[in-house]
Amino acid sequence: MKRHLIIGMHLAVQNKHGEKDVLIDEHIAFAKRAEAAKLDFLFKADYLMAHPELMAKTKGTVGLDPSFLLTAVARETKQIGLVTTISTSFIPPYLIARQLQSLNWISGGRVGWNIVTSIDGAYNFSNEPMPSSEERYAKAAECTKVVKQLWHSNPYEMLETDGNIEKIKELMKPINHEGEFFHIKGPLNIPMHPAGEIPLFQAGASDVGRQFAATVSNAIFAATPAMEVGIEMRNDLRKRAVNVGRTADDIRLLPGLYFFIGDTYEEALDMYHRAHAHLTLERRYDALESVIGLNVRHMALHDPVTVDLLPPENQKVRSRTHADLVRRYIMENEPSVEVLLARPEVIGSAHLVAIGTPQHIVDQIVTFYEEGAMDGFIAVPGGPAKSLDLFFSDVIPMLVDRGLFRAEYEGSTLSSHLGLNVQLSNK
């Protein structure tokens, strides 16, 4: 069966008029546009800490807990999937299981869980320092297992017992989990939605992150700023999935596509430059040091950044994924300081950057897809409103015309959009 692109979109609403508000109506309007385009899902990231740069970017918009925001969106949409972000490092499994299953009922089976381990914010939950990446993923693996057990501890069939307490007791079983991180009896106090298993997403592409994604996730939201990075990661994920007893197609690579679209390439490039004009040279230096611990302030902008300048690979960094991407770029290109400070891995989130006309964007997507560098993408709007308008009015219809994306929904759950064969079970 011919593969089709999986297309999600970051629920990113621009504060156009400087309102000091949550902009619920604007989020709903955005979601309805994405649903009209038949996108697979909306995606919302989360931060469990006050983030000054993010607050400056959103200009007065109140950033809500994504699960609460998507609850409001769920009531005003009918088919588009809703992928929320919840950290396994700080939120207990019982609460995760209950919140997600609640949102699944409210939305009619359209929920996905973006599993994150968080890279900072421990000080908001305890006096303990941030655990190592290995410990965070070990906890995530156990947490995910417990959450799934809790979902099945209260099966959908429980609703068909007509109040028969003996049948209820027979169906609703404790999980009695005793693990390294959690000791939970269960069962969950809300039954599983008839849509079945909630699709799992994971964000992070370090070695331990890849293994976790290949083992439990249906898709990984990863930073792949270049085709060769995407091809390597996708091949690696598929091999890892097979090695743990899954099929290669059980894991999908969905890079972020940070797009700037104009009537001409020059217009789109100007959009890109304007979007990053606030990043002074000093802030770019700070960003490079934050990502990889490399100080190049003493160097001229035209000086090459060579491999011998790289700090030790085993040093502690904020994000191993982004550090590895910058390290790889330096090793393969030895760029000038100026070029390095302009790289998306340094000034952004290392998304795949797409700049140009609608045709340019489609050609880039198709090339990455056909070369095996992605299974789809999560669109991250960049630039002014015109860029987003062209994405919906031109880019998506072009992909439909090429037979790479749907013209109409074929189902009403996120699992059906993703082509997952989900069956209800209380086992």
Side-chain angles (χ1 to χ4, degrees):
M1 187 172 69
K2 182 178 175 61
R3 290 192 306 140
H4 291 282
L5 282 164
I6 296 170
I7 303 179
M9 176 166 274
H10 177 49
L11 184 54
V13 171
Q14 293 184 338
N15 190 342
K16 299 177 183 178
H17 306 294
E19 300 98 330
K20 310 308 188 281
D21 200 353
V22 293
L23 304 181
I24 293 293
D25 290 341
E26 288 81 356
H27 281 93
I28 290 171
F30 186 106
K32 288 183 175 180
R33 290 187 76 185
E35 185 170 60
K38 315 304 177 187
L39 300 193
D40 289 291
F41 59 87
L42 291 164
F43 170 90
K44 192 65 178 175
D46 192 25
Y47 304 91
L48 294 174
M49 56 178 288
H51 200 304
E53 289 189 0
L54 180 62
M55 293 175 179
K57 187 176 181 180
T58 55
K59 299 178 181 178
T61 303
V62 179
L64 300 180
D65 180 306
S67 298
F68 284 96
L69 175 61
L70 290 175
T71 299
V73 171
R75 297 299 298 158
E76 300 293 335
T77 54
K78 298 181 183 300
Q79 291 177 282
I80 193 166
L82 307 168
V83 179
T84 189
T85 299
I86 304 179
S87 173
T88 56
S89 293
F90 305 123
I91 312 302
Y94 197 95
L95 186 57
I96 294 174
R98 187 170 187 243
Q99 286 182 344
L100 288 169
Q101 204 58 251
S102 296
L103 185 51
N104 216 27
W105 277 101
I106 291 169
S107 67
R110 294 186 280 135
V111 171
W113 175 22
N114 177 40
I115 305 168
V116 296
T117 63
S118 302
I119 58 177
D120 47 27
Y123 50 77
N124 286 326
F125 295 88
S126 72
N127 293 324
E128 299 297 321
M130 201 70 197
S132 67
S133 177
E134 289 72 21
E135 183 178 342
R136 296 201 310 273
Y137 275 107
K139 187 175 183 180
E142 185 178 334
C143 180
T144 304
K145 177 182 178 182
V146 172
V147 167
K148 296 181 74 172
Q149 288 178 337
L150 285 169
W151 285 336
H152 287 285
S153 71
N154 193 338
Y156 172 75
E157 289 79 8
M158 203 279 297
L159 296 177
E160 301 173 341
T161 59
D162 196 28
N164 186 314
I165 193 166
E166 295 303 321
K167 289 183 179 179
I168 291 173
K169 289 180 178 179
E170 180 183 342
L171 287 170
M172 197 165 56
K173 301 290 186 181
I175 65 171
N176 295 317
H177 175 83
E178 296 290 334
E180 179 182 359
F181 300 97
F182 304 108
H183 307 275
I184 297 172
K185 180 180 179 181
L188 192 63
N189 62 347
I190 180 172
M192 178 180 274
H193 186 273
E197 294 280 359
I198 291 175
L200 304 180
F201 295 70
Q202 194 263 332
S206 62
D207 182 73
V208 65
R210 293 186 186 197
Q211 189 62 31
F212 176 75
T215 303
V216 307
S217 300
N218 301 111
I220 181 170
F221 177 35
T224 59
M227 184 182 295
E228 60 272 17
V229 176
I231 292 173
E232 183 277 327
M233 184 180 295
R234 184 171 180 270
N235 289 340
D236 182 52
L237 287 167
R238 291 167 68 83
K239 289 177 183 177
R240 290 175 188 249
V242 171
N243 288 340
V244 296
R246 305 175 79 195
T247 71
D249 291 330
D250 283 339
I251 180 69
R252 292 85 176 273
L253 176 63
L254 305 178
L257 184 78
Y258 187 36
F259 64 84
F260 297 83
I261 312 173
D263 293 326
T264 65
Y265 175 80
E266 289 72 22
E267 181 186 15
L269 185 61
D270 182 64
M271 292 177 180
Y272 176 79
H273 288 318
R274 287 176 180 271
H276 299 90
H278 65 288
L279 294 175
T280 63
L281 187 60
E282 182 62 29
R283 289 183 66 177
R284 293 170 191 251
Y285 283 136
D286 289 343
L288 181 61
E289 289 184 27
S290 174
V291 171
I292 198 173
L294 178 61
N295 184 349
V296 295
R297 284 179 168 83
H298 61 286
M299 300 172 63
L301 291 177
H302 62 268
D303 286 344
V305 182
T306 55
V307 174
D308 58 289
L309 296 176
L310 285 169
E313 190 170 1
N314 61 353
Q315 72 169 354
K316 187 175 181 179
V317 293
R318 185 170 182 271
S319 169
R320 176 56 56 191
T321 298
H322 291 169
D324 289 345
L325 286 170
V326 174
R327 180 178 293 276
R328 174 174 177 165
Y329 182 76
I330 292 172
M331 293 175 65
E332 294 179 353
N333 299 279
E334 296 201 340
S336 68
V337 171
E338 184 175 25
V339 169
L340 181 61
L341 293 177
R343 289 292 301 176
E345 300 96 320
V346 174
I347 64 174
S349 299
H351 295 307
L352 171 60
V353 179
I355 301 171
T357 65
Q359 188 63 61
H360 288 142
I361 306 304
V362 169
D363 289 344
Q364 185 174 354
I365 292 169
V366 171
T367 300
F368 271 67
Y369 186 58
E370 292 182 344
E371 292 295 324
M374 65 163 67
D375 294 291
F377 58 89
I378 297 180
V380 181
K386 180 177 180 178
S387 178
L388 182 62
D389 292 342
L390 287 171
F391 179 83
F392 284 127
S393 66
D394 290 40
V395 172
I396 293 299
M398 286 181 182
L399 292 172
V400 173
D401 290 343
R402 292 201 184 194
L404 293 176
F405 195 60
R406 70 169 69 82
E408 295 292 339
Y409 286 117
E410 297 178 0
S412 59
T413 67
L414 179 55
S415 292
S416 66
H417 300 341
L418 300 178
L420 301 177
N421 182 21
V422 177
Q423 296 180 346
L424 279 172
S425 171
N426 60 2
K427 298 180 181 179

